[in-house]
């Protein structure tokens, strides 16, 4: 007799009650046994996962990789973004290393307006195991279109052209500040009509009651290698390398000290030396977007020295107005205004 015929002829009611109970108990025992095995397997996998993640985290922190990652993140963001500084206190509070070995840290950034550190958002820096370092700046803007871009006009003489006429981008700075009372400070971005050394620009700006946050460096863009740029009339704009105040690191790449401004001669000289060191360190140790450009920048700066095409400064609004009358400055842009906080 075939198996199907046996099953079709079988009547459960004809099976003794005691056997049916035993069969049901056996079925439930089997179900509980399978379920318990699945739960134990899941708990074991969870334990293995926790141990794996903990081991990665401990190794990551003990290896010093976080310090090197912080250094790279800080250098990349601050040497590419005018007017923006990463807050060094409590750096990388949200540092993480994923099970897939992706490094990611989030940093608070600010704009220096007078003596205020004005919160400007966050910078998130990420590096996958076999990928390149990349960062995203989630910038908080008071105005949707404040005109404070990453671009600076290139001094025409550096491009082999005649000197530029004095010109403005958007509203006149004087017009913008005309109805602002004395008790305010501002951040302003300025361009220079001719390329000059950082020290020469420092001396020019030392006539005014202000602090120099950063300077924009010309490092061979357009003339020595191709980069993206824009033009508006006679002006050519690029996103230049930014000369920031000097940062000191120990042998383990941990930040030991840093300056806030470029206003005095010593701090500026230290910043110039640090810029070359930063580029050397980045191109030697980093895999990031723009590394090839930085190698060309480093070659240009080693051959021609550092020349600047602008600066980001801060100070009382009345002093910022005076900058528009300076013959060697042009393309002034207002970055922000805050109530008085000035102790220079």
């Amino acid at each position: 007799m075939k198996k199907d015929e046996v099953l079709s002829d079988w009547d459960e009611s004809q099976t003794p009650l005691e056997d049916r109970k035993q069969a049901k108990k056996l079925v439930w025992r089997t179900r509980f046994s399978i379920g318990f095995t699945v739960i134990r397997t899941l708990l074991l996998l969870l334990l293995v996962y926790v141990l794996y993640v903990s081991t990665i985290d401990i190794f990551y922190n003990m290896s010093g990789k976080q310090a090197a990652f912080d250094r790279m993140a800080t250098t990349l963001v601050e040497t590419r973004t005018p007017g923006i500084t990463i807050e060094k206190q409590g750096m990388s509070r949200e540092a993480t290393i994923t099970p897939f070995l992706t490094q990611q840290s989030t940093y608070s950034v600010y704009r220096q307006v007078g003596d205020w550190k004005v919160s400007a958002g966050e910078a998130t820096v990420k590096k996958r195991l076999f990928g390149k370092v990349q960062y995203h700046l989630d910038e908080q803007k008071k105005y949707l279109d404040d005109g404070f871009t990453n671009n600076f006009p290139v001094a025409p003489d550096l491009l082999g052209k005649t000197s530029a006429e004095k010109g403005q981008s958007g509203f006149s700075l004087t017009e913008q500040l005309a109805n602002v009372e004395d008790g305010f400070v501002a951040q302003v971005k300025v361009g220079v009509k001719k390329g000059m050394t950082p020290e020469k620009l420092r001396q020019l700006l030392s006539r005014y009651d202000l602090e120099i946050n950063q300077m924009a460096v010309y490092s061979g863009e357009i003339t020595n290698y191709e980069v993206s740029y824009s033009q508006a009339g006679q002006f050519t704009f690029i996103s230049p390398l930014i000369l920031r105040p000097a940062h000191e690191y120990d042998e383990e790449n941990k930040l030991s000290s840093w300056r806030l401004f470029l206003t005095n001669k010593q701090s500026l000289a230290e910043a110039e030396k640090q810029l070359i060191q930063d580029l050397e360190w980045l191109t030697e140790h980093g895999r990031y977007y723009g590394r090839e450009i930085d190698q060309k920048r480093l070659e240009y700066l080693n051959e021609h020295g550092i020349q600047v095409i602008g600066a980001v400064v801060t100070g009382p609004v009345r002093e910022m107005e005076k900058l528009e009358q300076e013959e060697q400055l042009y393309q002034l842009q207002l970055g922000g205004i805050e109530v008085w906080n000035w102790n220079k």
Side-chain angles (χ1 to χ4, degrees):
M1 185 178 291
K2 295 183 179 179
K3 182 178 180 181
D4 290 344
E5 293 176 352
V6 172
L7 291 175
S8 63
D9 293 340
W10 179 72
D11 186 356
E12 184 181 358
S13 62
Q14 297 177 359
T15 305
L17 179 61
E18 187 65 27
D19 290 343
R20 293 202 302 270
K21 289 182 178 180
Q22 291 296 328
K24 288 182 179 180
K25 288 181 180 180
L26 181 61
V27 169
W28 279 107
R29 286 173 184 170
T30 303
R31 289 176 178 175
F32 279 123
S33 177
I34 294 173
F36 186 64
T37 301
V38 170
I39 291 173
R40 284 190 302 175
T41 302
L42 291 176
L43 289 175
L44 180 61
L45 291 175
L46 178 61
L47 178 61
V48 171
Y49 174 79
V50 171
L51 292 174
Y52 171 67
V53 172
S54 300
T55 303
I56 290 175
D57 189 59
I58 293 172
F59 172 76
Y60 182 62
N61 288 307
M62 293 182 62
S63 66
K65 291 182 179 296
Q66 181 59 49
F69 188 73
D70 285 339
R71 178 177 180 177
M72 181 164 295
T74 303
T75 305
L76 284 174
V77 172
E78 293 185 347
T79 59
R80 270 79 179 160
T81 317
I84 289 292
T85 303
I86 284 182
E87 175 56 48
K88 309 303 187 301
Q89 301 295 337
M91 181 179 286
S92 67
R93 291 187 300 273
E94 300 178 25
T96 59
I97 178 75
T98 71
F100 297 103
L101 304 181
T102 295
Q103 302 173 58
Q104 178 172 313
S105 293
T106 301
Y107 308 88
S108 297
V109 299
Y110 66 89
R111 292 185 181 277
Q112 189 75 44
V113 185
D115 286 335
W116 294 112
K117 290 182 178 180
V118 182
S119 177
E122 293 181 334
T124 300
V125 186
K126 180 186 294 186
K127 182 185 182 301
R128 292 183 172 85
L129 179 59
F130 298 110
K132 295 181 179 181
V133 175
Q134 54 185 320
Y135 69 89
H136 171 70
L137 185 61
D138 184 12
E139 190 174 354
Q140 299 172 355
K141 289 191 175 183
K142 185 179 292 186
Y143 308 105
L144 293 179
D145 186 11
D146 60 11
F148 202 86
T149 66
N150 291 350
N151 296 332
F152 278 82
V154 183
D157 63 302
L158 296 176
L159 300 177
K161 301 179 180 179
T162 57
S163 179
E165 296 294 330
K166 194 175 182 68
Q168 291 299 326
S169 175
F171 295 104
S172 162
L173 184 65
T174 302
E175 292 176 358
Q176 288 180 300
L177 298 178
N179 295 316
V180 179
E181 298 178 358
D182 289 351
F184 289 85
V185 289
Q187 182 187 58
V188 173
K189 183 172 68 176
V190 302
V192 296
K193 296 173 67 175
K194 289 186 177 181
M196 60 181 67
T197 64
E199 175 59 20
K200 184 175 180 179
L201 180 55
R202 187 198 68 82
Q203 292 177 5
L204 186 155
L205 295 172
S206 66
R207 307 170 190 170
Y208 306 95
D209 181 19
L210 54 76
E211 295 280 14
I212 305 171
N213 302 133
Q214 301 166 331
M215 291 186 183
V217 176
Y218 180 74
S219 49
E221 293 87 348
I222 303 177
T223 56
N224 287 57
Y225 51 89
E226 294 185 2
V227 294
S228 60
Y229 64 92
S230 60
Q231 289 185 310
Q234 63 177 320
F235 304 116
T236 300
F237 295 88
I238 62 170
S239 294
L241 197 62
I242 301 299
L243 177 65
R244 59 174 183 158
H247 291 56
E248 294 184 7
Y249 299 90
D250 62 19
E251 294 180 354
E252 297 179 345
N253 292 308
K254 293 181 180 179
L255 185 62
S256 56
S257 66
W258 64 92
R259 293 185 178 272
L260 299 177
F261 303 105
L262 302 174
T263 311
N264 64 63
K265 187 174 183 178
Q266 179 181 352
S267 64
L268 182 58
E270 291 174 352
E272 290 184 66
K273 181 179 179 181
Q274 182 69 49
L275 179 64
I276 301 300
Q277 292 176 349
D278 282 340
L279 286 177
E280 291 175 341
W281 187 86
L282 280 175
T283 54
E284 181 180 352
H285 296 89
R287 295 185 69 248
Y288 59 95
Y289 293 99
R291 180 173 176 268
E292 294 77 12
I293 295 296
D294 278 354
Q295 290 174 329
K296 295 176 181 178
R297 283 171 163 161
L298 184 58
E299 292 175 3
Y300 181 91
L301 294 176
N302 283 329
E303 181 178 353
H304 300 278
I306 298 177
Q307 289 184 299
V308 294
I309 57 175
V312 178
V313 300
T314 189
V317 293
R318 299 287 80 88
E319 291 298 304
M320 299 298 99
E321 285 180 329
K322 295 176 183 178
L323 295 177
E324 200 163 49
Q325 307 306 315
E326 177 60 55
E327 182 60 31
Q328 298 183 67
L329 303 180
Y330 74 146
Q331 291 288 302
L332 281 72
Q333 292 184 346
L334 183 62
I337 300 176
E338 300 293 333
V339 296
W340 185 268
N341 189 0
W342 191 246
N343 296 312
K344 185 174 182 296

